[in-house]
Amino acid sequence: MTLPALSDIREDYELLDADDRYRLLIDLGRDLEPMPDALKTDATLVKGCSASVWVYPTRDGDKLHFLADSNAAITKGIIALVLATVQDRTPQQVAAIDITAELGPFDLSRQLSSNRTQGIPNMILLIRSTAERYLVEFGQ
């Protein structure tokens, strides 16, 4: 399933109270396309998250597409939100996006516990480093 545009998610998010924001994140996580268990390895595990989070990059032509999963519903929603900023963009576009700024209006650090948000910088770092690696490897 295709993730909604970040702007659409933000519009919905801003209208909701705290409990409904949790539900929105959980629903976003449920909407992620399934990640095969065979891809959930130490190599795809995002370090520093309180829950297990796996991110696996693929290419579709000149665009990066990420598969992701988590063993915790809220954390799976968070990675879905992160992916909504970069999914199906070129490595150049992904490298140029300030993901932290894009997520700023969601104010996740105030909405969620520090345990739930501590891994976000590592999720972002993994995605950015993947884009930069593709730029070097494929000369883009």
Side-chain angles (χ1 to χ4, degrees):
M1 167 152 220
T2 303
L3 288 169
L6 190 65
S7 59
D8 293 339
I9 298 169
R10 186 172 34 239
E11 285 177 19
D12 291 343
Y13 193 84
E14 290 172 350
L15 298 174
L16 301 173
D17 64 25
D19 287 342
D20 288 333
R21 287 178 175 181
Y22 274 107
R23 283 192 267 295
L24 177 82
L25 287 173
I26 291 169
D27 288 344
L28 279 175
R30 285 185 186 137
D31 287 345
L32 283 175
E33 66 187 280
M35 182 178 187
D37 286 340
L39 297 177
K40 298 174 188 173
T41 66
D42 284 343
T44 61
L45 185 68
V46 179
K47 310 297 186 245
C49 296
S50 60
S52 295
V53 178
W54 300 272
V55 177
Y56 184 81
T58 64
R59 282 185 61 124
D60 183 11
D62 67 340
K63 305 219 170 147
L64 288 176
H65 184 82
F66 295 90
L67 299 175
D69 200 359
S70 176
N71 64 349
I74 293 288
T75 306
K76 189 171 179 177
I78 292 169
I79 189 60
L81 189 62
V82 171
L83 291 183
T85 67
V86 298
Q87 195 70 289
D88 299 324
R89 297 178 188 262
T90 66
Q92 297 94 326
Q93 290 170 322
V94 173
I97 294 170
D98 184 343
I99 301 169
T100 302
E102 291 291 320
L103 297 177
F106 292 91
D107 202 11
L108 295 173
S109 62
R110 291 191 62 215
Q111 301 295 324
L112 304 170
S113 70
S114 62
N115 275 357
R116 299 215 191 270
T117 59
Q118 71 186 12
I120 295 173
N122 294 342
M123 294 175 197
I124 293 169
L125 179 63
L126 185 140
I127 289 166
R128 291 189 61 75
S129 64
T130 298
E132 290 166 2
R133 187 178 75 244
Y134 275 101
L135 285 170
V136 170
E137 286 180 21
F138 297 100
Q140 296 181 346

